[in-house]
Amino acid sequence: MQHVLDAIQANASAEAFADLTIPDSYRAVHVLRSEQEMWKGVATRDKDPRRSLHIGEVPTPAVAPDEVYLAVMASSINFNTVWTSIFEPVSTFGPLARLARESEWAKRHDQPYQVVGSDAAGVVLQVGSAVRNWRPGDRVTVHCNHVDDQDHSAHDDSMVAANQRIWGYETNFGGLAELAVVKANQLMPKPAHLTWEEAAVNALCNSTSYRMLVGRNGARMKQGDVVLIWGATGGIGAYATQYVLNGGGIPVCMVSSEAKASILRRMGVQHIIDRTAAGYQFWKAGPDGGPEGVQDESEWRRLGKDIRDLCGEDPDIVFEHPGRSTFGASMYVAKRGGTIVTCAATSGFTMEFDNRHFWMRSKRLIGSHFANYKEAWEANRLVCKGMIHPVLSQVFTLDATGEAAYQVHHNVHEGKIAVLALAPAPGQGVTDEVLRAEVADRLDWFRR
Ligand code: NAP
């Protein structure tokens, strides 16, 4: 891929990019179908992505008429790569086999390996015959909503399309690689003031938080809303915090350490709760010290009181994703008429809550998954304008992807971790130094 890198660094013409030879194989981070049973009997936290994420050459697939080949300069770790690598809640080879049944082109996705990764920033190489809006040489970021736009169900909100999938998680040929195959309707302009690695970390988490809080399909936050944000320095939480601050809301940010609290203070957050220091026990402990399977309403009330002590009110909106461990508390502490918006269940998928506090107080629960193209585009537009900022803490090489995923699995990271693919070093790819200088102090909020 050196010839591709040379063309990118020389800022070659569209024609020159279109003439570049696409190699027969490329380096990619992948999991193997032959290993999908490898974690049988192993506890979730002991499943180690460093063992199941492999880095090596895979064959280059053909590109469909509505797709492009992308030279990936950088990608990022999302929690879905952790899920894939630990084969939880299910192995992703099942969804790939189902996708393969949909069309001739879709058959490519069913391979003995899956190239993972749901973020990328890079340069368009060749475009399929039906691609109209993008040209070889375009610098882009990629959002991960993979939909068949010939299906009628994709044309109101594509996130509820019958065949909606997440690229690099429920499809093959994802972004943690030197080359990727991407539908043209996943492409968005690369923010010119950002480096490749800064540009690569935003799309998945930023778009998810945009839809949950700002877009018309989520909680539709308004000025003055109190928003409780779990994991406020995590991947999605760090963008949620920015949306609440930008939108005139009042964030109440939950984190688990003083180091994370200090990041929030740098961002301008006033109301912060350290859940480790507070020691909430929403689930009662059983005789063996493990959770007994019963929740403790007095602990929900203690959290509610802590929030009121900080800002004088209950939350209008709860930004929920930890799932089983916090969901009962989230449903309880939301204000009368308030909204709980959820996109995940990191700690467990089966939720339990006391419905009396929900219906008697006329609350709303909204399920939200990633973002449609319009929402992702709007979220990216805010990054391009320097109004939302990447929350990049660390940069790894492609070879060290397993270690990066391990850190996210064990919650020893902050914000987002980027992975360099073709970019030979961090710090490259900026074409708007003026805007960069204007927002420079905000680009370092999360840097270790
Ligand atoms: P992340 O970077 O790991 O951040 C999550 C944060 O949540 C952690 O840093 C932690 O913060 C907090 N947390 C984790 N477990 C918790 C628990 N048991 N109780 C309270 N807080 C807990 O992950 P992320 O990228 O933000 O993603 C979060 C979840 O959303 C994942 O399950 C991911 O798969 C999902 N997700 C879904 C979508 C979608 O489209 N549906 C999109 C993006 C992400 P503290 O330790 O500081 O409290």
Side-chain angles (χ1 to χ4, degrees):
M1 296 290 279
Q2 187 57 45
H3 65 302
V4 172
L5 192 55
D6 291 344
I8 293 168
Q9 288 178 330
N11 219 359
S13 65
E15 293 71 28
F17 271 108
D19 282 346
L20 292 176
T21 308
I22 303 295
D24 293 337
S25 67
Y26 63 104
R27 285 180 78 235
V29 178
H30 56 275
V31 289
L32 296 171
R33 184 168 38 205
S34 59
E35 292 184 349
Q36 61 185 333
E37 304 292 333
M38 69 188 284
W39 302 124
K40 268 219 160 126
V42 177
T44 297
R45 66 168 290 111
D46 296 331
K47 297 177 181 173
D48 189 338
R50 293 173 296 193
R51 283 187 49 212
S52 50
L53 290 175
H54 302 279
I55 292 95
E57 294 283 318
V58 297
T60 305
V63 74
D66 61 345
E67 293 175 343
V68 309
Y69 283 125
L70 182 78
V72 182
M73 298 301 277
S75 180
S76 92
I77 303 296
N78 285 293
F79 215 94
N80 66 6
T81 294
V82 176
W83 295 127
T84 309
S85 69
I86 63 174
F87 299 107
E88 281 193 29
V90 290
S91 160
T92 39
F93 286 97
L96 294 181
R98 283 195 291 283
L99 166 59
R101 292 199 283 273
E102 285 186 2
S103 73
E104 272 306 305
W105 284 108
K107 279 185 186 159
R108 292 168 303 164
H109 291 268
D110 190 13
Q111 301 289 342
Y113 59 86
Q114 180 190 12
V115 179
V116 296
S118 299
D119 269 323
V123 179
V124 174
L125 296 178
Q126 290 178 6
V127 302
S129 57
V131 174
R132 288 176 290 109
N133 297 336
W134 302 94
R135 296 196 317 156
D138 283 346
R139 292 172 168 231
V140 295
T141 59
V142 176
H143 76 75
C144 62
N145 183 19
H146 183 280
V147 282
D148 176 358
D149 53 20
Q150 291 180 28
D151 189 301
H152 68 90
S153 65
H155 285 274
D156 178 12
D157 171 13
S158 59
M159 286 312 297
V160 296
N163 47 22
Q164 188 281 326
R165 291 184 170 85
I166 298 295
W167 168 72
Y169 175 61
E170 294 160 303
T171 81
N172 216 322
F173 319 128
L176 283 161
E178 293 182 342
L179 191 76
V181 172
V182 178
K183 280 182 183 277
N185 65 12
Q186 291 176 253
L187 298 176
M188 309 187 292
K190 173 191 170 288
H193 66 296
L194 298 183
T195 62
W196 291 114
E197 62 276 12
E198 289 165 347
V201 298
N202 306 302
L204 190 149
C205 286
N206 181 34
S207 311
T208 302
S209 300
Y210 179 93
R211 179 177 171 110
M212 288 174 77
L213 290 177
V214 183
R216 69 186 165 115
N217 295 300
R220 302 180 119 178
M221 181 194 69
K222 60 182 192 325
Q223 291 183 38
D225 277 353
V226 174
V227 185
L228 173 64
I229 303 168
W230 290 101
T233 60
I236 52 176
Y239 293 99
T241 300
Q242 295 185 64
Y243 281 115
V244 179
L245 288 169
N246 281 8
I250 302 164
V252 178
C253 289
M254 188 69 76
V255 284
S256 61
S257 70
E258 172 49 33
K260 291 179 176 182
S262 73
I263 294 173
L264 292 170
R265 283 192 283 275
R266 281 204 290 281
M267 295 171 77
V269 175
Q270 268 187 303
H271 307 309
I272 301 166
I273 300 176
D274 180 340
R275 67 181 171 101
T276 308
Y280 301 118
Q281 295 289 337
F282 300 133
W283 290 86
K284 285 182 183 159
D288 60 352
E292 187 186 58
V294 177
Q295 296 193 66
D296 184 348
E297 187 176 320
S298 69
E299 285 292 274
W300 300 348
R301 271 192 250 113
R302 186 159 75 89
L303 169 63
K305 180 174 182 311
D306 288 348
I307 296 168
R308 274 190 211 168
D309 286 349
L310 278 175
C311 69
E313 295 174 68
D314 295 329
D316 297 278
I317 298 170
V318 181
F319 184 88
E320 166 63 40
H321 53 91
R324 184 168 175 79
S325 60
T326 57
F327 196 79
S330 293
M331 295 290 272
Y332 178 81
V333 298
K335 188 178 277 181
R336 284 175 187 269
T339 302
I340 301 92
V341 58
T342 177
C343 73
T346 314
S347 64
F349 300 97
T350 311
M351 305 303 162
E352 284 176 37
F353 63 94
D354 187 332
N355 200 17
R356 292 169 298 176
H357 301 300
F358 183 63
W359 97 71
M360 294 293 286
R361 294 173 186 173
S362 304
K363 302 181 187 185
R364 290 189 310 147
L365 173 62
I366 298 177
S368 186
H369 187 39
F370 186 59
N372 61 38
Y373 196 3
K374 173 74 173 161
E375 289 161 337
W377 189 280
E378 289 298 323
N380 185 59
R381 178 174 154 261
L382 293 168
V383 180
C384 289
K385 286 182 165 298
M387 296 169 75
I388 291 288
H389 309 286
V391 294
L392 176 63
S393 59
Q394 298 178 81
V395 183
F396 284 70
T397 61
L398 206 56
D399 289 326
T401 301
E403 173 61 28
Y406 176 88
Q407 291 203 10
V408 174
H409 183 25
H410 288 274
N411 194 23
V412 291
H413 68 301
E414 296 96 27
K416 295 288 303 176
I417 297 180
V419 174
L420 296 182
L422 283 174
Q428 302 184 4
V430 176
T431 51
D432 182 347
E433 295 286 1
V434 176
L435 180 54
R436 187 171 182 82
E438 276 174 31
V439 299
D441 55 332
R442 280 152 274 177
L443 298 177
D444 282 338
W445 279 334
F446 281 74
R447 290 273 186 181
R448 280 195 176 175

